[in-house]
Amino acid sequence: MSVSSRPRRSSLRTRRFAALAALAMAVSLAGAPPAFGGPSASLTPPSGAAPGGPGASSTWTTGAKDGLGTSTTIASKVWHTLTQGVLTEVYYPTVDVANVQDLQLIVTDGATFTDLERNATSHKIVLLDAASLTYQQVDTALSGKYRIEKTYIDDPDRASVLLSIRVRSLDGGTYTPYVLYNPSLNNSGMGDSGDAVGRSLVAHDGTVASALVAKPEFAKISSGFSGASDGLTDLATDHHLDWTYKTAAAGNLVQTGQLAPASPGHPTDVTLALSFGPTETAALSTATASLRLPFQARQNAYMNGWHEYLKSISAPPASVRNNVALRTQYNVAVMTLKAHEDKTYRGANIASLTVPWGQAINADNAGVGGYHLVWARDLYQVATAQIAAGDSAAANRSLDYLFNVQQKPD
């Protein structure tokens, strides 16, 4: 069952918000400098509606995750997953609502090739801190031309996934990276509508909205439909982003943002905020707030939350305490269990932040629960493990959830 024990539906309604229009004027007044010191005012303004809707059928991603993350705070109602060198399902506002198929980079030299990060690179994942769920993906081009380094955290104060991205040229060439964001808002890959607000990308489906903001800001942005008018389809033809559509309504939305080029001695460095809220305005405000502090400051706060959690429970058992690798494995297992608890419906631990065989599971319609459901058999295993680890408070929250939410009158 879902954490709230209520069915969820995906809406195809397209909404416009007066507040968004005002915000767009505020961030893109003629002659105004970029808010985050990004590219000059040479942004190609997106315009028009993308053709080809609703686009290709959608799926989820593989359940074979390499890493995951969430803040220990209740205020940060967002969870992210990682696999195959890219960001995959992101959950908001509860741990059973998936909102992303994937977010990754496209890299091109503008003349001879266009690479999709997941397919064109070798993947390495690094746990940056043995006492927190802080991961870095290192993706190196199979051609040897470039390397991508991405560090992931969640803002402890709000619903934002933050990425620190560096793209390096390895062979002396100059390469332009693009962010390719494939939302699947409100538990479905269809019915998403996208728009542009200044140099930011927003999207919504029913009661869930997202905002993708870069610091420094995107040089070009576009919203399109998967397989028809999306950025990858465009770049694959001539290695340039020629399509810059402002809107794409009610379909399999894909959004694209161009970053500064990486050249020898001058890597591309950018911080991305992928933020969520009940409306596009709220999501964009959340992203803007998350980017006000340097990434390192947010990372320190995120990591400290996990450090304090591990201090609050029992020390690792003697069988692993003196072995660094086993102690790290133990701590990551304990943190992973904690990461699966919902932050609104306390005690609701889902079985897994995955859709099993998700790459083959149709995502066009809402309602696919995958493993992000609460089963009493799994909850029992989590709770007894947490008792053994010294987190009896978490186990008691699960017991309360079983009695007060899951148990039926009969």
Side-chain angles (χ1 to χ4, degrees), residues 208-388:
V208 177
S210 70
L212 182 64
V213 182
K215 178 182 179 180
E217 294 173 309
F218 293 122
K220 286 183 180 181
I221 53 176
S222 185
S223 293
F225 296 105
S226 178
S229 50
D230 64 277
L232 179 60
T233 300
D234 181 11
L235 286 162
T237 57
D238 65 355
H239 316 298
H240 290 276
L241 189 67
D242 304 306
W243 305 336
T244 52
Y245 300 115
K246 186 178 188 300
T247 63
N252 186 358
L253 174 69
V254 178
Q255 296 183 303
T256 309
Q258 180 180 329
L259 303 175
S263 59
H266 298 281
T268 298
D269 286 304
V270 65
T271 301
L272 288 186
L274 177 60
S275 304
F276 297 87
T279 66
E280 292 171 332
T281 304
L284 188 56
S285 295
T286 295
T288 302
S290 290
L291 290 172
R292 287 199 182 106
L293 285 180
F295 180 85
Q296 189 62 54
R298 300 287 189 202
Q299 181 177 343
N300 290 342
Y302 172 86
M303 292 166 60
N304 287 338
W306 283 110
H307 297 169
E308 292 304 313
Y309 172 70
L310 290 178
K311 291 177 184 176
S312 73
I313 62 176
S314 303
S319 58
V320 304
R321 195 173 303 159
N322 297 320
N323 183 302
V324 174
L326 289 178
R327 187 171 68 247
T328 298
Q329 184 177 351
Y330 177 88
N331 284 337
V332 169
V334 171
M335 291 186 290
T336 298
L337 291 179
K338 178 175 175 57
H340 281 73
E341 182 181 5
D342 192 63
K343 300 179 183 182
T344 300
Y345 302 93
R346 306 299 287 147
N349 290 67
I350 60 168
S352 176
L353 285 161
T354 60
V355 178
W357 303 280
Q359 72 278 12
I361 302 298
N362 187 281
D364 288 351
N365 298 310
V368 174
Y371 283 157
H372 46 278
L373 297 170
V374 182
W375 284 297
R377 64 181 187 187
D378 300 82
L379 196 57
Y380 162 79
Q381 300 288 351
V382 172
T384 52
Q386 289 176 324
I387 291 171

Side-chain angles (χ1 to χ4, degrees), residues 61-62 64 66 82-86 88 117-118 121 123 137 139:
T61 51
T62 175
D66 299 324
L82 307 171
T83 193
Q84 298 178 320
V86 306
T88 51
E117 180 181 10
R118 181 184 56 219
T121 64
H123 313 312
Q137 291 174 324
D139 294 339

Side-chain angles (χ1 to χ4, degrees), residues 67-262:
L68 67 131
T70 190
S71 173
T72 57
T73 60
I74 302 301
S76 180
K77 297 182 189 297
V78 65
W79 297 256
H80 69 265
T81 65
L82 307 171
T83 193
Q84 298 178 320
V86 306
L87 175 71
T88 51
E89 288 94 355
V90 176
Y91 298 81
Y92 161 91
T94 53
V95 75
D96 62 333
V97 181
N99 299 287
V100 175
Q101 178 175 327
D102 51 51
L103 185 152
Q104 58 185 304
L105 297 190
I106 303 169
V107 179
T108 178
D109 64 352
T112 65
F113 75 87
T114 292
D115 284 352
L116 183 64
E117 180 181 10
R118 181 184 56 219
N119 299 338
T121 64
S122 61
H123 313 312
K124 177 182 178 182
I125 190 162
V126 181
L127 182 68
L128 293 181
D129 174 27
S132 72
L133 296 176
T134 307
Y135 290 95
Q136 181 183 70
Q137 291 174 324
V138 181
D139 294 339
T140 303
L142 298 176
S143 64
K145 294 179 181 297
Y146 58 85
R147 178 171 295 129
I148 301 166
E149 300 167 359
K150 299 175 295 184
T151 301
Y152 297 84
I153 61 166
D154 294 332
D155 186 339
D157 297 320
R158 49 191 63 85
S160 294
V161 182
L162 297 175
L163 293 73
S164 175
I165 301 175
R166 169 165 282 194
V167 183
R168 305 173 186 265
S169 171
L170 299 180
D171 69 347
T174 297
Y175 306 112
T176 301
Y178 296 80
V179 177
L180 188 73
Y181 169 46
N182 191 343
S184 293
L185 300 174
N186 218 1
N187 256 341
S188 74
M190 283 290 181
D192 298 336
S193 297
D195 204 342
V197 179
R199 297 174 187 241
S200 304
L201 292 160
V202 296
H204 75 271
D205 182 353
T207 58
V208 177
S210 70
L212 182 64
V213 182
K215 178 182 179 180
E217 294 173 309
F218 293 122
K220 286 183 180 181
I221 53 176
S222 185
S223 293
F225 296 105
S226 178
S229 50
D230 64 277
L232 179 60
T233 300
D234 181 11
L235 286 162
T237 57
D238 65 355
H239 316 298
H240 290 276
L241 189 67
D242 304 306
W243 305 336
T244 52
Y245 300 115
K246 186 178 188 300
T247 63
N252 186 358
L253 174 69
V254 178
Q255 296 183 303
T256 309
Q258 180 180 329
L259 303 175

